[in-house]
Every structure is written in structure tokens, then in C-alpha cells.
Amino acid sequence: MTARRVTTVLFDFAWTLFARDSERWVGNAAASIDRTLAVGEAHRIAGDFAELLRETATDPAHIARDLDPRVWDRAILAVLEQIPGVDQALASAMHETHAEAVEPYADTVATLSALRDSGVRIGVVSNVGWDIRTCFARHGLDGYVDAFVLSYEVGFVKPDPLIWVAALEALHAAPGQTLMVGDHPAGDGGSVAAGIPALILPMVDSPAQKRGFEYVLRLAQVPS
């Protein structure tokens, strides 16, 4: 029996399509408040932040941050202040500049372009409390995305299957012909409960690196 062709690919946002440049983000935030960082400290702080977000992504106590931008702002500041070496001033500076430091991975543009050229529809499904469309627009990638399904807009947080139901409806897609791509086994892997196979990629810290999207193109039967 021939496998059904993938007609729709859903991507997570943070640490899947985009990541923060740690030196640019933490370094610029520190410079804005005249703070000097030790060698390697910016990378360590950014790594601690990423790990804390991942650890709390599916924690019921933190779900509210992904449903309300006002709660998101307070919650992210609280997460930043948990990091050793980050006080209130640095946390505030990092929070103010976090969106500008988000960059696509080295193979994000080529992957989205290849999928679009092959007629595959693209969705972004993210647990987030702010409008990530600005990041796509800044890098000229908003035109590749057919639907943004953001937790604070639809009222559901991964791994709740209803967030993927909303994505399928927005894209007029069938679950058996859809692929979910993410970095969080518990969060992004929740798509399976909605009938959508999931591809969970190992963590890649720097947006300057390739994310490993050759697996996506292979599963979607799209030439790389």
C-alpha cells in the first residue's frame, strides 16, 4: 500500500523554526544597562532560559502564560529572574529585546520554500503569549505560512489535542496527511492524540546551525 502523501506540515516556533542568538540577545540587553558579562555568560544565560521554558512548557501551573499576553509578560520575567546572574534590571532588558533577537535556523528558509514550491501547506502551532508573526515578517517568511495557530488566540495549549484540531480546521487538512514538527516530546508529540504523526527533532541551540529539516522534506516527499 502506498503511504498517503503529506499535504500539510505544522511547525512549532521556538527552537524549531527560530531560535535566539544568545550573544546578540543577552549581550545587547546587558550593554543597554551597562552590565559587563563574563566570557560565555551570555550563552549560559540563554541556555538556562531555554531549558526553564522547556521544563515548564507542559506544567499546569504555567499554562496561563500561554493564554494571556499580560500573564505571559509577568511569567517570562519571573523565569528570567530565576536564572543565576540575572537580576530584575537584566531580566527587564532581556524581555524588552527578546523578539528582535529571534532568528530563523540556517535551513528554515530553504525548507519552507521547498514545501511551498511543492504545494504543501504550512502552519505554525505555538504555545506563546505574544504575536510571533512579527518575527516571520521581519525575515520575509510570513508569506510562507498559511495559518498561525497560537495558544493565546485559540484558547488551547499544547499538548491539548484541541490546538491541533484548530490547526486542521484553519488549514482544511486531514490528520492522516499532516505532519507535526517540533522539539518537545511531551508538548509537540501531543499531536498524535489528534491523529497527526509527529517528528521531534533534537535540540539545536544556535540559529546559525541547520535544524535537520531534511527529515521533514523526506517524509513530505519533497526534493531538497
Side-chain angles (χ1 to χ4, degrees), residues 15 19-20 30 46 78 120 128 136 159 172 180 185 197 204 207 209 214:
W15 299 291
R20 289 182 180 87
V120 176
V128 70
F136 286 81
H172 306 289
M180 175 67 201
V204 174
Q209 297 175 275
E214 65 269 17

Side-chain angles (χ1 to χ4, degrees), residues 15 20-23 25-27 29-30 33 35-53 79-87 90-91 93-95 205:
W15 299 291
R20 289 182 180 87
D21 182 323
S22 60
E23 294 296 332
W25 179 36
V26 185
I33 58 171
R35 178 75 53 83
T36 300
L37 298 176
V39 175
E41 191 173 8
H43 183 72
R44 191 268 304 167
I45 289 172
D48 287 352
F49 175 70
E51 187 58 32
L52 281 169
L53 278 193
V79 168
L80 287 167
E81 290 174 14
Q82 292 178 48
I83 300 171
V86 178
D87 58 14
L90 182 54
M94 289 173 63
H95 182 55
D205 292 330

Side-chain angles (χ1 to χ4, degrees), residues 146-149 164-173:
D146 297 291
F148 287 90
V149 182
W164 285 287
V165 172
L168 293 173
E169 291 176 350
L171 288 157
H172 306 289

Side-chain angles (χ1 to χ4, degrees), residues 149 154 156-157 159-167 194:
V149 182
V154 300
F156 306 112
V157 176
D160 187 336
L162 291 177
I163 195 169
W164 285 287
V165 172

Side-chain angles (χ1 to χ4, degrees), residues 12 34 64 67 78 84 92 148 151 186 194 198:
D12 175 46
D34 297 321
L67 293 172
S92 295
F148 287 90
S151 58

Side-chain angles (χ1 to χ4, degrees), residues 66-86:
D66 296 319
L67 293 172
D68 187 327
R70 294 166 297 182
V71 177
W72 170 271
D73 287 337
R74 295 195 298 269
I76 294 306
L77 282 170
V79 168
L80 287 167
E81 290 174 14
Q82 292 178 48
I83 300 171
V86 178

